[in-house]
Amino acid sequence: MGENERIYRIMLSMEKFEFESISLETSDMSWNSKGLGQIKTEVIENKIIFNETIELHEEFGDTELKDKKMWVFYEDKIEFWHLRNGSYQKIFTFLTDQEKIVLEKKYDCKPDVYLGGLTLLEDRLISTIDIHHENHRKKERITYTYFRNDKN
């Protein structure tokens, strides 16, 4: 079995997640938030769509948000797409082999630059997004830790 087939099967089993966003030391922003969410997966050909509902716990009260992410699987890579403004936009391509998952290149969304990470463990999937502003006023890390329903 190929590595992407294994990753595909594990992603299909994800049903909940933890969310955390933090502003790092040089950031002028205050994007510190945590939350818990549920996932309903949808499969279309070689794609898995995460339909996410998240309850954010913030300083000024709780907020429920909905989000959609799409993972597109190929033999030696996985693409990460995010629903923005009514259509999916490709954000990252991760190259895969037996040893690791590697980001192919950064995503430029001027004036911001996005770097992504994807770590697969036996019982969870960790997706990170680092956002850096070209004039250094923004430096953020967003982490999604996805779990199967029987884990965590």
Side-chain angles (χ1 to χ4, degrees), residues 22-39:
I22 57 172
S23 291
L24 302 174
E25 67 276 355
T26 59
S27 181
D28 292 341
M29 311 304 278
S30 182
W31 287 0
N32 300 307
S33 185
K34 289 186 178 189
L36 299 173
Q38 300 293 319
I39 306 164

Side-chain angles (χ1 to χ4, degrees), residues 6-64:
R6 185 177 77 87
I7 295 169
Y8 182 90
R9 281 190 296 111
I10 291 171
M11 277 191 173
L12 271 180
S13 71
M14 299 298 154
E15 295 181 347
K16 61 184 178 175
F17 65 96
E18 294 175 354
F19 169 88
E20 181 179 37
S21 64
I22 57 172
S23 291
L24 302 174
E25 67 276 355
T26 59
S27 181
D28 292 341
M29 311 304 278
S30 182
W31 287 0
N32 300 307
S33 185
K34 289 186 178 189
L36 299 173
Q38 300 293 319
I39 306 164
K40 289 189 179 359
T41 57
E42 182 181 345
V43 176
I44 302 171
E45 298 171 354
N46 63 329
K47 303 168 185 70
I48 298 175
I49 297 172
F50 282 6
N51 294 290
E52 300 176 350
T53 303
I54 183 170
E55 184 74 29
L56 291 178
H57 308 294
E58 300 183 20
E59 181 179 340
F60 303 107
D62 293 345
T63 304
E64 183 177 280

Side-chain angles (χ1 to χ4, degrees), residues 4 72-79 93-96 104:
N4 282 7
V72 183
F73 288 80
Y74 299 96
E75 186 174 325
D76 60 349
K77 66 183 178 181
I78 301 169
E79 294 176 347
T93 298
F94 295 98
L95 305 177
T96 56
E104 182 179 54

Side-chain angles (χ1 to χ4, degrees), residues 124-138:
R124 68 191 70 194
L125 172 72
I126 302 167
S127 173
T128 58
I129 302 171
D130 290 334
I131 306 167
H132 302 269
H133 191 276
E134 64 186 17
N135 70 8
H136 304 291
R137 74 174 193 87
K138 187 189 299 181

Side-chain angles (χ1 to χ4, degrees), residues 95-111:
L95 305 177
T96 56
D97 65 26
Q98 295 294 333
E99 301 297 314
K100 57 191 171 230
I101 302 170
V102 177
L103 179 65
E104 182 179 54
K105 66 180 180 178
K106 65 185 177 183
Y107 173 70
D108 282 314
C109 184
K110 296 288 183 199

